[in-house]
Amino acid sequence: MVAALVLSYYVVLRSVLRVKPWLRKCLARCRHCGIFFLTDARNAGRQDLGCPFGCRQAHRRRQSTRRSVDYYRQPEGKTKKRALNARRKTPPPPPRHKPAPLPWPRPILDYVRVVVGLIEGRKVGLWEVVEMLERTLRQHRMVRTRRIDQGVAWLNEQPP
């Protein structure tokens, strides 16, 4: 399943690079999984980037854990950890308001925003990307099936 997604991603990436060859300088390879992706022009040529599909977040999480373990092994960190654990006994205050949930993971939306901005040559807002994706998902498929079959297929993919 993942291989099919990566293959279709590469087909789209190659077609974008064929139409807009100046984006080749923005092509980078993930140092963890090896997948190609488009990055911001300021990061062009860097070899130490992680892909936006999970490697970047996993590396950041591992480094954060390593730093906190090192800190809490020191005497200063041990006293701080004792204070944090003592404070944990009191319940936290309820949240004031919750932000509206996004229908897609935030890192993927940020990556789509960067890629669309590179393709269009302008800054693209997150809300524009969400609107574009919602509009795209509302469109009918480009296959030769009857309308009722399209509706049934859609309901099978997204049951009520």
Side-chain angles (χ1 to χ4, degrees):
M1 165 127 179
V2 173
L5 288 173
V6 171
L7 182 63
S8 63
Y9 167 72
Y10 275 163
V11 168
V12 172
L13 184 62
R14 286 186 63 187
S15 65
V16 166
L17 291 174
R18 202 174 300 123
V19 174
K20 302 190 181 285
W22 62 87
L23 290 179
R24 281 201 185 277
K25 67 176 182 176
C26 297
L27 191 64
R29 187 178 196 129
C30 178
R31 71 176 182 173
H32 303 289
C33 67
I35 194 170
F36 285 99
F37 63 97
L38 289 174
T39 185
D40 193 271
R42 293 172 290 188
N43 291 329
R46 287 185 53 187
Q47 303 293 319
D48 61 341
L49 298 175
C51 70
F53 307 117
C55 291
R56 186 182 303 156
Q57 290 83 4
H59 178 69
R60 180 176 286 158
R61 215 175 303 124
R62 276 194 307 269
Q63 293 302 100
S64 172
T65 301
R66 187 184 58 77
R67 280 192 310 273
S68 66
V69 166
D70 290 345
Y71 174 73
Y72 287 127
R73 284 184 178 160
Q74 298 170 2
E76 177 188 345
K78 286 182 180 181
T79 57
K80 173 120 182 204
K81 187 65 177 171
R82 276 192 213 102
L84 287 173
N85 286 341
R87 211 179 330 154
R88 190 181 294 156
K89 294 176 183 174
T90 60
R96 295 182 184 198
H97 64 83
K98 259 188 171 175
L102 294 170
W104 296 278
R106 180 63 189 254
I108 299 297
L109 287 175
D110 288 336
Y111 177 66
V112 170
R113 186 178 58 79
V114 168
V115 170
V116 170
L118 286 171
I119 291 171
E120 293 187 358
R122 65 178 181 93
K123 286 195 178 246
V124 178
L126 189 64
W127 62 273
E128 290 179 283
V129 171
V130 171
E131 280 183 0
M132 176 193 62
L133 290 172
E134 287 174 347
R135 219 177 24 248
T136 303
L137 290 178
R138 281 196 303 261
Q139 293 178 355
H140 290 292
R141 296 181 180 175
M142 298 293 289
V143 294
R144 294 182 183 201
T145 58
R146 297 178 304 176
R147 185 177 218 118
I148 188 72
D149 294 334
Q150 289 178 0
V152 170
W154 182 80
L155 284 173
N156 284 334
E157 289 175 4
Q158 299 177 356

